[in-house]
Amino acid sequence: MPLKQDPLPQQAADLAVLYALNLVRGGDVVTWADCLVASLDSPGSDLIDLSLAGNDLGGIHRLLDELAQGADRDLAFRRALIEVHDRLRDGAVELGWVLHILYDNCVLPDHVVPDNPLRHFVSLVPDNVRHFASWAVDEYDLIQDGIKDGNIEQLHSDTLTLLNELGRRA
């Protein structure tokens, strides 16, 4: 969840990335919006609409994007990568899921995935990460399918290292 001491646009940007990566659910976003609506003197129409969005996936993405105007999107992306790192390290998510998320959101160009909610962040991904994600997702799938001998533990370790470096970079 976003850091409460951050301004509203940064909190929205953080949630937008987490939501796009399926690390938070629509209900979590609506609960966040409900709390803000209750605590602010004039919450604004976008925040009220988000509070009423339910599980309208497109509406939640659009409203979070509107609320995130002026936020540091690079910071939001890095925070999300640290969250993915921590969940992978702790076994809360599978390596294959992480690799496919990296591939789908960091490698595929916008014209292939035109409605990608992470489109703001794709340009922030260094080329070496794109190359790693492309190679690693294929490597993982080949190993899992028994087509190739390989070391899943090493791939897991390399992915953790990459996520940590990306998330913590200045």
Side-chain angles (χ1 to χ4, degrees):
M1 293 303 283
L3 300 175
K4 291 183 192 246
Q5 72 267 21
D6 283 337
L8 176 63
Q10 191 61 53
Q11 290 182 46
D14 289 357
L15 268 178
V17 180
L18 294 172
Y19 185 66
L21 294 175
N22 294 315
L23 294 171
V24 297
R25 296 175 309 224
D28 300 323
V29 175
V30 169
T31 298
W32 169 81
D34 288 344
C35 290
L36 284 174
V37 166
S39 69
L40 296 173
D41 291 333
S42 23
S45 62
D46 285 339
L47 194 56
I48 292 169
D49 289 346
L50 184 58
S51 177
L52 301 171
N55 280 321
D56 173 13
L57 300 177
I60 291 173
H61 284 299
R62 182 185 55 75
L63 290 164
L64 283 172
D65 192 47
E66 288 295 320
L67 289 167
Q69 296 301 314
D72 183 343
R73 294 184 188 270
D74 183 54
L75 176 63
F77 187 64
R78 287 185 289 116
R79 285 177 173 172
L81 291 175
I82 290 299
E83 180 68 24
V84 171
H85 169 276
D86 292 350
R87 290 187 187 196
L88 179 60
R89 179 199 62 211
D90 297 343
V93 295
E94 298 289 326
L95 176 62
W97 178 84
V98 170
L99 293 174
H100 282 278
I101 286 295
L102 285 173
Y103 181 79
D104 291 347
N105 293 292
C106 299
V107 175
L108 294 179
D110 282 343
H111 70 275
V112 175
V113 187
D115 296 327
N116 183 349
L118 296 175
R119 67 189 176 281
H120 299 292
F121 307 99
V122 172
S123 64
L124 302 173
V125 179
D127 285 342
N128 66 319
V129 174
R130 293 173 207 260
H131 295 299
F132 174 83
S134 182
W135 168 81
V137 75
D138 289 340
E139 188 78 2
Y140 178 84
D141 289 343
L142 290 171
I143 294 168
Q144 287 298 103
D145 292 343
I147 296 170
K148 179 178 182 179
D149 288 331
N151 187 334
I152 290 289
E153 292 79 22
Q154 185 60 51
L155 194 54
H156 188 272
S157 176
D158 292 347
T159 303
L160 283 172
T161 299
L162 178 76
L163 288 168
N164 188 49
E165 289 171 5
L166 282 173
R168 303 211 189 285
R169 69 181 165 82

